[in-house]
Amino acid sequence: MRTRHLVPGLAVGVAAAALIAGTAGAGSAASSEAAAGPRAGQAGTQQQLVGAPKHREERVPAIGRRWAAAWTTGDTRDLARLYTKDAVYTDRALDLVFRGSEGVEEWETGSRRLIENLAFEATGGFRGGDGVVVEGVFSGHIVGAPRPFAVPLVTVLRLRGNLIQSSNDYYNRGEILSESGLPADWTPPGS
């Protein structure tokens, strides 16, 4: 995977996701808890957040970890089980909407037909009220493409109880096509 730089458009999307989740002010409160690391005279001086998770996975809310894991199992029912019966799954990059847990299963099934080794690695996230934001890396190999891809993805989940009522995926479709070695106007066969 190539090194990624945060671009203004993605920054706006992440900020919007934070606002949607209702946690926009959490950053300043968390950063005020910073404690000094080793003495300033020592090499490698660092600051560490008090109570900050030690492992990347711990920064992702439990439902976000289950969501990411369900994309990796290959059993389309695993993902669908996380959603309410009347859920709405929206892929913003492709402007596609799927309704109900059956729609979620249909979306994952179609995705797996088009993308081999489809995976999502959750690298961060947060929860505020009934909203969860999951950050990560979406990867796979589009059938027939010269190369695999691995791109950043942000998903905003809205919960009802312990289930997902709606989800919105945000990623750059053009970046997936470019990394895959496909032209910008490529469409799946039969579309």
Side-chain angles (χ1 to χ4, degrees):
M1 182 171 88
R2 293 183 277 176
T3 303
R4 302 276 177 240
H5 299 283
L6 189 65
V7 294
L10 184 55
V12 169
V14 172
L19 287 173
I20 290 169
T23 59
S28 60
S31 63
S32 69
E33 296 178 11
R39 292 184 165 262
Q42 296 175 347
T45 301
Q46 297 178 2
Q47 287 194 355
Q48 182 176 342
L49 292 179
V50 173
K54 294 178 183 162
H55 303 288
R56 188 188 306 189
E57 183 178 283
E58 292 174 5
R59 293 183 291 189
V60 181
I63 186 69
R65 289 192 307 271
R66 288 193 307 271
W67 181 87
W71 270 109
T72 306
T73 67
D75 181 346
T76 57
R77 294 170 298 192
D78 287 345
L79 185 65
R81 284 184 195 110
L82 298 176
Y83 285 79
T84 63
K85 298 268 185 224
D86 61 343
V88 178
Y89 194 116
T90 305
D91 182 303
R92 296 292 178 178
L94 300 177
D95 197 26
L96 294 173
V97 177
F98 295 85
R99 299 190 184 281
S101 51
E102 299 83 16
V104 172
E105 190 170 342
E106 175 188 347
W107 173 230
E108 185 181 3
T109 299
S111 297
R112 291 192 176 285
R113 283 188 191 128
L114 179 64
I115 303 170
E116 296 173 337
N117 302 316
L118 186 147
F120 183 81
E121 177 191 358
T123 59
F126 55 89
R127 181 173 182 161
D130 69 347
V132 174
V133 173
V134 182
E135 301 170 283
V137 178
F138 171 38
S139 62
H141 193 147
I142 297 173
V143 174
R147 299 183 300 269
F149 67 87
V151 301
L153 180 138
V154 173
T155 293
V156 178
L157 306 173
R158 284 287 186 197
L159 306 179
R160 184 187 309 140
N162 294 325
L163 296 175
I164 302 168
Q165 182 177 7
S166 69
S167 58
N168 288 275
D169 292 347
Y170 298 91
Y171 60 92
N172 186 325
R173 179 184 179 273
E175 191 172 20
I176 289 175
L177 295 176
S178 175
E179 280 202 11
S180 296
L182 296 169
D185 62 349
W186 180 86
T187 57
S191 308

